[in-house]
Amino acid sequence: MTASSVPAAGNSRSQARVSVVIPNYNYARTLQLCLASLAAQTLPPHEVIVSDDASTDNSVEVALRAGCRVLRADRNEGVSAARNRGAAAASGDILFFLDSDQALSPDSLENAVALLSEDPGLGCVHGIIAAEPLVDDGPVEWYRTLHAHYWRLKGVGPTPTAYFAAAALPRRVFEDVGPFDRALRDSEDVEYSERLSARYGIRLTDRIVAAHDEEHRLGRMLREQFRRAQYLLPFAAAHRRRPGALRANSELGVAAALFTAATAPLAVLHPALLLLPLAGAVAFAAADPGLLRFVRRKRGARFLPLFVGLHLLVNVQIALGAATGWARARLDRDFGRGAHDRRHRTEGMSSGV
């Protein structure tokens, strides 16, 4: 899927060559929808590169049928390595990283180019998640989608945080900041955000919108939250404290959820002890009342209790994962640290810093 030329509207936007880089691992189910959204863009991409990370499904066949350039890895190395391979092969002036389980709104590429053209100091623009799932697989997916849409929309504007599921940056910026840390399979966005925001501006915008196919199985969703939360304290906590940093969940909400779960078993000892988890649940709901109002508007009052229950379970997993990560970081100095951080520390020790 290439475009030998772009519309000649007489300005820099129309002349921009956008290389779309799609890291992929076993997402044949949604890759076709992702590529179809690129074919419908108001600004056609200069090229579409699918960087396949040793998929075992028919992802490569889907990409080849769509006319994409396909890079095949011999072994699975993670999203950072896949993005780096795609960026190294790209020839466009602007790199647009897009995950293979997302589909862009038709004007997303055009809007990304416009935003970068309007502000020379802007190093990256990235988009929000649509309020409707890419594929409707039931209530768990609706929970994940609504929450993802809400907290990103609330964070629209300048920020030190970049998420590369749907993000554009000039090639010169990527070359200046350097590639993604191949050692990281989680929190790679946070690590890259730290390097990127030290030199350039970052903007989250609602002019780039991607419908996302979220996890719809409860067990897998909770395990994923637990795994990712392990990097929260040893790696991402410092970034979260920066002004304007994006946060999916509040610390108060996480603490209230853990308190609710921890005190709930006490209710069997004495009915009066039921007040403890009830107070925790009230504090949990009060942590983000805007979220509950948003969910009620979008899906109705009948969906709200299920949403709150799922959200509480997720926040409990985040608390447990963060505690596990804290413990692991005490036992392993390198846990939660990328190759750049390890190399910097090694160089510092060897030079006496």
Side-chain angles (χ1 to χ4, degrees):
M1 182 187 298
T2 60
S4 59
S5 61
V6 293
N11 56 48
S12 59
R13 299 180 194 175
S14 63
Q15 301 302 321
R17 300 182 304 162
V18 181
S19 293
V20 179
V21 175
I22 304 173
N24 176 77
Y25 177 64
N26 287 344
Y27 274 99
R29 178 174 183 253
T30 54
L31 182 58
Q32 186 171 356
L33 297 173
C34 173
L35 297 177
S37 75
L38 293 174
Q41 291 295 302
T42 55
L43 176 64
H46 167 67
E47 61 185 348
V48 176
I49 300 173
V50 175
S51 182
D52 189 75
D53 200 24
S55 291
T56 58
D57 63 4
N58 66 328
S59 293
V60 169
E61 290 77 6
V62 170
L64 290 174
R65 283 199 302 269
C68 301
R69 181 180 179 186
V70 180
L71 307 177
R72 306 189 199 190
D74 295 329
R75 59 188 177 89
N76 182 266
E77 297 181 285
V79 66
S80 295
R83 285 176 180 150
N84 289 342
R85 283 192 296 270
S91 59
D93 311 303
I94 293 175
L95 302 176
F96 194 106
F97 293 101
L98 177 64
D99 282 359
S100 54
D101 58 355
Q102 299 200 142
L104 289 176
S105 59
D107 57 353
S108 287
L109 293 189
E110 184 175 9
N111 289 338
V113 172
L115 289 167
L116 291 172
S117 299
E118 291 164 4
D119 185 354
L122 197 58
C124 176
V125 292
H126 59 114
I128 65 171
I129 299 297
E132 298 77 27
L134 178 60
V135 181
D136 187 350
D137 286 315
V140 172
E141 180 156 24
W142 270 103
Y143 156 72
R144 293 286 295 151
T145 300
L146 290 172
H147 182 238
H149 173 80
Y150 172 80
W151 69 262
R152 283 178 172 84
L153 187 62
K154 190 168 66 170
V156 162
T159 174
T161 310
Y163 289 111
F164 292 90
L169 63 168
R171 167 179 286 281
R172 60 174 176 80
V173 171
F174 186 78
E175 292 176 347
D176 183 31
V177 175
F180 291 92
D181 190 337
R182 294 168 60 95
L184 292 175
R185 288 177 177 250
D186 282 299
S187 298
E188 77 285 345
D189 295 300
V190 176
E191 191 279 333
Y192 202 88
S193 295
E194 286 289 287
R195 286 187 280 144
L196 179 63
S197 62
R199 306 184 188 190
Y200 300 96
I202 301 172
R203 177 174 290 275
L204 173 62
T205 177
D206 56 1
R207 293 171 62 184
I208 300 172
V209 182
H212 187 205
D213 185 37
E214 297 278 0
E215 178 56 61
H216 64 279
R217 290 158 291 192
L218 179 60
R220 290 192 60 168
M221 186 263 288
L222 293 177
R223 288 193 296 272
E224 179 183 85
Q225 292 298 308
F226 177 82
R227 186 189 74 249
R228 291 181 175 178
Q230 292 185 52
Y231 296 89
L232 184 60
L233 293 179
F235 188 75
H239 180 83
R240 282 168 55 90
R241 290 193 294 267
R242 294 184 59 184
L246 300 178
R247 300 179 182 181
N249 299 280
S250 71
E251 294 176 358
L252 173 60
V254 173
L258 185 61
F259 178 83
T260 303
T263 57
L266 299 178
V268 302
L269 301 178
H270 193 282
L273 295 177
L274 182 61
L275 293 175
L276 293 176
L278 287 177
V282 170
F284 176 71
D288 197 346
L291 172 62
L292 303 187
R293 290 193 296 268
F294 166 76
V295 172
R296 182 172 182 174
R297 288 197 308 271
K298 287 292 185 180
R299 293 289 288 175
R302 294 179 62 183
F303 185 74
L304 199 55
L306 176 60
F307 181 94
V308 173
L310 291 172
H311 197 43
L312 190 144
L313 286 175
V314 164
N315 277 264
V316 169
Q317 291 297 100
I318 291 172
L320 295 176
T324 302
W326 179 88
R328 290 181 66 183
R330 293 299 178 273
L331 298 173
D332 179 4
R333 292 176 61 196
D334 284 336
F335 174 71
R337 301 177 185 273
H340 290 281
D341 197 27
R342 290 195 296 271
R343 183 169 61 249
H344 176 74
R345 191 171 68 248
T346 301
E347 291 172 349
M349 289 190 294
S350 65
S351 61
V353 176

